[in-house]
Amino acid sequence: MGELVLTLETDAVASDDLRHALAEGTVGHVSAARKSHLDGSAETVILIVQVATLAASSVPTILLPFLNRKRVRKFKCGDIEIENPTPEQVEQLWERCMKAQAEG
């Protein structure tokens, strides 16, 4: 069973809800790091999600409400990172990551 590592950047308001939803829904390890911008823009939170590929199928479903409300600023899986991702983009990247993991 392989492991996937996702990186999500979100605003501070959504980070706790998203972190809890991912930890409960994937039985994965989620860590968070706050990032303050020196230019005075809003604080962001980087979430690192490590999930087993067998338990990872629920990730797109968990992210959907946050994506629809534009609470995820970046989504990274593997070498590909998407800024301001749409649900469709995340679904496509997720399928690509899952396929690469299965082949790799």
Side-chain angles (χ1 to χ4, degrees):
M1 170 174 55
E3 182 175 85
L4 288 172
V5 177
L6 310 173
T7 305
L8 305 164
E9 184 176 316
T10 184
D11 60 48
V13 175
S15 68
D16 286 337
D17 291 339
L18 182 55
R19 185 171 49 85
H20 291 300
L22 286 166
E24 291 175 6
T26 62
V27 191
H29 175 73
V30 181
S31 58
R34 296 201 182 275
K35 180 172 100 175
S36 296
H37 298 286
L38 297 176
D39 62 1
S41 59
E43 177 181 52
T44 60
V45 178
I46 308 297
L47 298 173
I48 307 295
V49 185
Q50 296 172 307
V51 293
T53 54
L54 291 177
S57 62
S58 58
V59 168
T61 304
I62 294 168
L63 288 176
L64 186 62
F66 296 92
L67 294 167
N68 285 335
R69 292 191 315 255
K70 306 218 184 284
R71 304 308 270 186
V72 177
R73 293 182 183 160
K74 291 183 185 176
F75 178 83
K76 180 178 179 183
C77 185
D79 294 336
I80 301 173
E81 181 177 291
I82 303 171
E83 290 191 37
N84 302 314
T86 66
E88 294 80 16
Q89 289 172 320
V90 168
E91 185 69 37
Q92 289 173 355
L93 179 54
W94 186 251
E95 287 176 13
R96 183 185 285 175
C97 287
M98 294 296 288
K99 183 178 176 184
Q101 186 70 22
E103 293 172 353

